Amino acid sequence: KLSLDRRPEEVFDNIVGLAVNLCKTSYGALNLVAKNRLFFKAAIGTGEVRESPRDISFCSHTILYPDTIFVVNDATKDPRFADCPMVTANNVRFYAGVPIQVDDEKGNKCCVGTICVWDDSPKSLSKSQCAAMSYLAGLAKCALLMKRKSYKNLKECGFKDTNNDEQK
């Protein structure tokens, strides 16, 4: 399990910043996926919004395709999203996301979140931008695993967890 600590952390902020700049979008996030919500571990362009319902998110679709980047060039023309509040109310047109996968206790791959970018105008990504997003998802995975290992070491030393909202 990964703790859904919502405090900003520079490493995750930097990963999202790279994604937004590489893909030339206005918005980006590193999300951790819980049962009913997405928690923005890091985000650019979302203001004070730090979570989103999972049932209306693009990221819920992203984690269904664990080995590839999920891209929606124009959400208004995609029947899966045309009526989605993210499109109709928040004006999302473009979305690209890559799952962040870790191994569970049995060694099986498990999607714990996404690194994603979006914009209010349609666009597409080049092959190199898609590859960069995949590399950034790998960096996010490594950062999350290092955080989990550090947390485990602290617990073994007697430090208590004050954040009981864990990822499912």
Side-chain angles (χ1 to χ4, degrees):
K1 290 185 176 182
L2 294 170
S3 174
L4 294 178
D5 184 354
R6 295 183 197 115
R7 290 173 293 179
E9 293 182 65
E10 186 175 10
V11 65
F12 300 113
D13 292 339
N14 287 338
I15 290 170
V16 174
L18 279 170
V20 165
N21 281 286
L22 287 167
C23 296
K24 297 176 174 48
T25 61
S26 301
Y27 309 94
L30 192 154
N31 298 300
L32 297 177
V33 180
K35 185 176 180 180
N36 297 313
R37 298 178 285 177
L38 300 174
F39 295 94
F40 297 180
K41 183 63 184 156
I44 291 178
T46 61
E48 296 298 315
V49 177
R50 300 304 292 176
E51 65 180 69
S52 174
R54 185 172 170 175
D55 62 341
I56 64 166
S57 74
F58 285 82
C59 296
S60 288
H61 291 268
T62 302
I63 63 174
L64 298 175
Y65 306 96
D67 297 319
T68 188
I69 187 168
F70 180 72
V71 178
V72 179
N73 294 320
D74 187 345
T76 62
K77 295 180 179 175
D78 188 317
R80 296 171 294 183
F81 304 107
D83 294 328
C84 173
M86 300 298 290
V87 176
T88 59
N90 296 335
N91 205 33
V92 173
R93 295 296 176 262
F94 168 79
Y95 170 89
V98 179
I100 300 168
Q101 299 182 72
V102 298
D103 291 336
D104 66 13
E105 302 84 27
K106 298 177 183 175
N108 300 313
K109 296 276 184 217
C110 175
C111 291
V112 296
T114 66
I115 178 77
C116 60
V117 293
W118 64 96
D119 211 285
D120 52 13
S121 61
K123 59 177 58 201
S124 59
L125 295 182
S126 68
K127 287 183 182 181
S128 64
Q129 287 171 312
C130 290
M133 287 290 289
S134 293
Y135 288 126
L136 291 172
L139 285 173
K141 168 191 166 180
C142 291
L144 286 168
L145 292 175
M146 284 190 272
K147 179 180 170 71
R148 180 170 67 181
K149 185 174 182 177
S150 295
Y151 173 75
K152 183 179 176 186
N153 289 342
L154 286 173
K155 270 184 89 171
E156 289 172 357
C157 292
F159 288 91
K160 302 249 188 243
D161 179 15
T162 59
N163 180 12
N164 61 5
D165 191 3
E166 291 188 352
Q167 195 211 331
K168 306 290 178 204

